[in-house]
Amino acid sequence: MEEADQRALMVRSVTKGIIYRTSYARNESRQAKFTKLTYEVIDDVREIFPHGQIIPATIGLKGIRIEKPEITDDWFEHVVHNVLCTTMKDGADQRAFKDSSTELEEAIRSMFKWYRDAYVCIAYLSDTTSMDDLHEDVWFTRGWTLQELLAPWRMKFYGANWIPLTSNDNDKENMELMAALSGATRIPLDDLRHFQPGTKNVHQKMMWASTRTTTRIEDVAYSLIGIFDVTMMIAYGEGKRAFHRLMEVIVHKCDEWQIFAWAGPSSSDSAAFPDSPRGYLPLDPVDSNDALLPSTVWRGDQGIAVTKRGLQMQVLLVDLSLQEVTVYEKIGILNVRTEAYSHYTAGVVDYWCFDASGDGILKPEQEHLCVLLRPDPRNPYAGWRKVTTANLVTIRTESKLRKTLTTVWL
């Protein structure tokens, strides 16, 4: 079963709602485990809603309507049975939105809002027995669960056999659990508790998604729509082009040079973008932090644009055969000096700008991120072609370097 089809069972009362989350199984088909809830768990849910009866309005992506059911084990089994019936097709990983693809599209686009508007999201971590082994749970390896973790204001985590991991009503207020989640996901505490979607800190968000997988290739992109608060058409069957389209949409709203901090395979549609979030790699937290820059100073191109000629951007070109330039590859946490790229030109993307003169500046002994370029004889109109590298490439100069910026199309 596709995880996009199982990502939530939404239960809304008159004014509040619960999202009940299934777990993932460790098997080749990655089918979800729908575990029968015990009366103790149901009692916990009742405590969250001390006033009045829970009256579900819609459940799951199919919009199944159930009129005022009793909150019992049978009721939860009924919900699970119905969602299974509406999402399974011939026993394979297929969506069964048979009436209209519009229904599916609306569901995926609305998913983040559903989690955010719900009163509480209940997450079942079937591999977890305590906070000590929480980081090993398969729940943290799945693409769709990233927004399930970030979107809700209130969450309740249950481990194996539906044992609650904390005594809190809202686990996002338990700092011990939040610290364990931060360690498991590399997501800062503030984002875990008070995440704001959008195209700010794109590199960091892509890093969060870089270790996660989805059954359908397209869901690598679709599961991030809510994280970045963007809109794009859902078109299953397009394969990895879905992530390329997501990157194009993000670039329209993003002016951060860190978006180029990736290496490895590029999109078949553009060498300017990676083919998945897995290409994004860590940056030096000091050299890459622009948060404290004054408004009169900026780094990199603030007007990156997607054009018919390709991704248009301004870079500071540096001939890597120059003696005063040292080239490094970032391998893990190490900067390893290399001479393997001396026949290429570096297009530095994080140069400094102190005025509108059109010049960029490289500071001496500072690590500067670059893309490797070579002349493109087959396309003189574009001028340069990006070279694929397995690791991030950075350069350092012995002295201050100031040059006029060059527009390239990738």
Side-chain angles (χ1 to χ4, degrees):
M1 179 185 296
E2 182 69 44
E3 69 266 26
D5 300 328
Q6 312 154 355
R7 60 178 73 89
L9 304 182
M10 171 171 277
V11 182
R12 286 190 176 178
S13 67
V14 175
T15 58
K16 299 177 181 178
I18 294 177
I19 290 180
Y20 156 64
R21 184 63 174 89
T22 65
S23 67
Y24 288 101
R26 290 185 181 276
N27 56 40
E28 292 182 0
S29 64
R30 296 194 182 97
Q31 290 188 356
K33 296 177 183 176
F34 288 89
T35 302
K36 182 177 179 180
L37 299 184
T38 65
Y39 282 106
E40 287 78 10
V41 176
I42 295 172
D43 287 340
D44 287 345
V45 174
R46 290 184 189 277
E47 290 179 6
I48 296 172
F49 292 89
H51 306 294
Q53 182 185 18
I54 304 174
I55 305 174
T58 60
I59 298 175
L61 303 185
K62 192 66 178 177
I64 307 166
R65 301 192 67 84
I66 300 178
E67 298 298 331
K68 299 186 180 181
E70 295 297 324
I71 306 303
T72 65
D73 280 350
D74 292 338
W75 177 79
F76 277 102
E77 284 186 349
H78 178 66
V79 172
V80 170
H81 173 74
N82 275 280
V83 173
L84 279 169
C85 288
T86 58
T87 56
M88 290 295 289
K89 182 180 179 182
D90 299 329
D93 286 352
Q94 298 289 336
R95 286 181 173 77
F97 290 87
K98 298 176 179 138
D99 298 333
S100 172
S101 60
T102 303
E103 190 175 349
L104 168 63
E105 200 160 318
E106 180 183 357
I108 291 179
R109 289 177 177 175
S110 304
M111 192 59 54
F112 188 93
K113 186 176 185 298
W114 286 354
Y115 287 118
R116 176 128 299 187
D117 291 347
Y119 183 71
V120 65
C121 178
I122 298 175
Y124 176 47
L125 311 184
S126 62
D127 300 322
T128 299
T129 59
S130 69
M131 293 188 198
D132 294 333
D133 62 2
L134 176 144
H135 64 282
E136 299 176 354
D137 201 286
V138 70
W139 196 81
F140 298 105
T141 69
R142 308 302 296 155
W144 285 105
T145 58
L146 179 59
Q147 68 175 350
E148 294 165 19
L149 176 65
L150 294 173
W153 295 121
R154 295 170 60 91
M155 291 194 73
K156 186 64 185 171
F157 286 90
Y158 290 85
N161 300 316
W162 286 97
I163 304 300
L165 296 184
T166 80
S167 60
N168 293 64
D169 289 339
N170 179 13
D171 284 344
K172 289 206 170 185
E173 296 176 353
N174 185 293
M175 297 312 296
E176 182 183 3
L177 178 57
M178 288 297 101
L181 289 171
S182 181
T185 61
R186 299 178 298 176
I187 301 174
L189 285 172
D190 190 57
D191 286 306
L192 284 174
R193 301 182 68 208
H194 312 292
F195 177 75
Q196 294 297 330
T199 53
K200 184 179 180 181
N201 298 324
V202 170
H203 172 264
Q204 184 182 48
K205 293 170 184 174
M206 287 294 185
M207 286 288 297
W208 301 342
S210 64
T211 58
R212 295 171 178 265
T213 60
T214 60
T215 304
R216 295 286 292 267
I217 295 175
E218 297 88 349
D219 285 338
V220 171
Y222 301 158
S223 64
L224 296 175
I225 289 175
I227 300 291
F228 291 107
D229 192 22
V230 295
T231 299
M232 58 183 286
M233 183 181 69
I234 308 302
Y236 282 100
E238 64 178 328
K240 289 188 175 182
R241 191 170 190 278
F243 188 74
H244 169 78
R245 291 196 299 112
L246 175 68
M247 291 299 299
E248 285 189 327
V249 174
I250 290 173
V251 164
H252 281 300
K253 302 172 66 176
C254 177
D255 58 5
E256 300 170 340
W257 60 266
Q258 293 92 335
I259 200 171
F260 297 104
W262 63 272
S266 62
S267 166
S268 59
D269 294 282
S270 171
F273 300 135
D275 68 350
S276 79
R278 289 185 176 275
Y280 280 92
L281 301 171
L283 284 169
D284 187 307
V286 176
D287 286 345
S288 63
N289 187 2
D290 295 345
L292 301 179
L293 291 180
S295 59
T296 56
V297 179
W298 65 95
R299 295 178 71 182
D301 190 354
Q302 304 290 290
I304 302 169
V306 177
T307 71
K308 291 182 179 180
R309 296 174 63 177
L311 185 74
Q312 177 182 302
M313 59 184 296
Q314 287 192 314
V315 297
L316 191 152
L317 295 179
V318 178
D319 184 349
L320 295 184
S321 65
L322 299 177
Q323 296 298 317
E324 60 268 25
V325 177
T326 306
V327 184
Y328 296 88
E329 275 191 293
K330 293 184 72 67
I331 302 177
I333 61 174
L334 300 177
N335 287 333
V336 180
R337 184 170 178 173
T338 179
E339 297 182 1
Y341 305 122
S342 59
H343 53 295
Y344 292 120
T345 297
V348 178
V349 299
D350 63 340
Y351 50 82
W352 293 85
C353 291
F354 296 91
D355 54 47
S357 65
D359 290 349
I361 295 174
L362 303 187
K363 293 185 177 182
E365 297 305 319
Q366 181 176 350
E367 186 178 351
H368 287 282
L369 179 70
C370 62
V371 294
L372 290 186
L373 303 171
R374 61 179 175 83
D376 188 357
R378 294 177 300 175
N379 188 6
Y381 185 63
W384 297 94
R385 186 176 184 86
K386 185 178 180 295
V387 178
T388 299
T389 60
N391 303 293
L392 296 183
V393 178
T394 61
I395 67 171
R396 293 180 183 177
T397 59
E398 296 178 359
S399 58
K400 178 179 176 180
L401 178 63
R402 179 169 185 148
K403 292 185 67 176
T404 299
L405 300 175
T406 302
T407 300
V408 298
W409 290 265
L410 303 177

